[in-house]
Amino acid sequence: MARQREKARPAFGADTDRLLFTGDTLEQAGRPELAARRAARLLAGGVADAVDLGCASGTETIALARAGASVVAVDRDPVARELTAHNVAALGLTAQVRDADVVELVAAARDGRVADCTAAVLDPARRAGDAGSWTPTAGPRPGPRSPSCWTGCPARW
C-alpha cells in the first residue's frame, strides 16, 4: 500500500493517505482534478444524480459526490467496489456502490428497466483492450465491449 500511495501522491495530493489503491485501480484511475472539472461542468449543466460506470477506486465517484451529485458507482470487480466504498467513506462522502455490468446497465437504461439518472460517467479508454481507442465525437474503434456501451447509451446521458 505504501508503494501505491507514493505512486498516487502526485495526482491525489492530500487525499492520498486516506485512500486505498491496488496497482490495477491506480492504473485505471483518472486524474482527480480532471474528474472534478467534469463533475463541476455536469452539475453546472443541471445534473443532480449520476452513475459512475466502472468505478475502479472511485475517482469520478468522489468528484461527483464532492460537487454535490447523488452518485451510484458500479463495477463488476468486487475489489474495485470495496475500494470505492472505502475511499468515498474515508473522505466523508456518500455514494451507493453496486455490482453491475456496464454494458447490461446501459442496455437496461435504454430499455427503461432502471431508474432514470441525469448523467453517467464512463471512461472506456482506460479499460483493458480498448486503451486509447475512443474520442467523444467519433466513439470507440471496434473493441470487445465499449462500442455497445457507446451506441447503447440513452440520449439523456
Side-chain angles (χ1 to χ4, degrees), residues 75-99:
D75 206 299
R76 291 298 303 175
D77 181 354
V79 174
R81 291 192 309 271
E82 289 297 323
L83 289 173
T84 295
H86 168 85
N87 290 343
V88 166
L91 296 173
L93 303 168
T94 59
Q96 295 179 44
V97 180
R98 296 185 184 165
D99 178 6

Side-chain angles (χ1 to χ4, degrees), residues 70-153:
S70 173
V71 186
V72 176
V74 300
D75 206 299
R76 291 298 303 175
D77 181 354
V79 174
R81 291 192 309 271
E82 289 297 323
L83 289 173
T84 295
H86 168 85
N87 290 343
V88 166
L91 296 173
L93 303 168
T94 59
Q96 295 179 44
V97 180
R98 296 185 184 165
D99 178 6
D101 182 272
V102 172
V103 173
E104 292 170 11
L105 186 65
V106 168
R110 181 191 60 228
D111 298 340
R113 293 180 282 130
V114 295
D116 198 14
C117 71
T118 316
V121 177
L122 171 65
D123 188 3
R126 301 191 67 81
R127 303 300 178 249
D130 290 332
S133 66
W134 81 286
T135 67
T137 54
R141 290 191 307 245
R145 295 173 60 80
S146 61
S148 58
C149 283
W150 183 264
T151 59
C153 279

Side-chain angles (χ1 to χ4, degrees), residues 1 3-36 38 52 55-63 66 83-84 87-88 91 93 126:
M1 186 55 57
R3 284 191 295 269
Q4 298 305 328
R5 284 188 171 149
E6 286 310 308
K7 290 179 186 177
R9 196 165 311 285
F12 289 85
D15 290 341
T16 303
D17 291 328
R18 294 189 282 169
L19 303 177
L20 296 178
F21 307 96
T22 65
D24 288 342
T25 59
L26 187 55
E27 173 78 20
Q28 293 176 16
R31 296 190 58 86
E33 68 258 11
L34 295 177
R38 269 191 298 275
D52 180 2
C55 59
S57 60
T59 305
E60 299 286 342
T61 301
I62 290 166
R66 278 183 167 158
L83 289 173
T84 295
N87 290 343
V88 166
L91 296 173
L93 303 168
R126 301 191 67 81

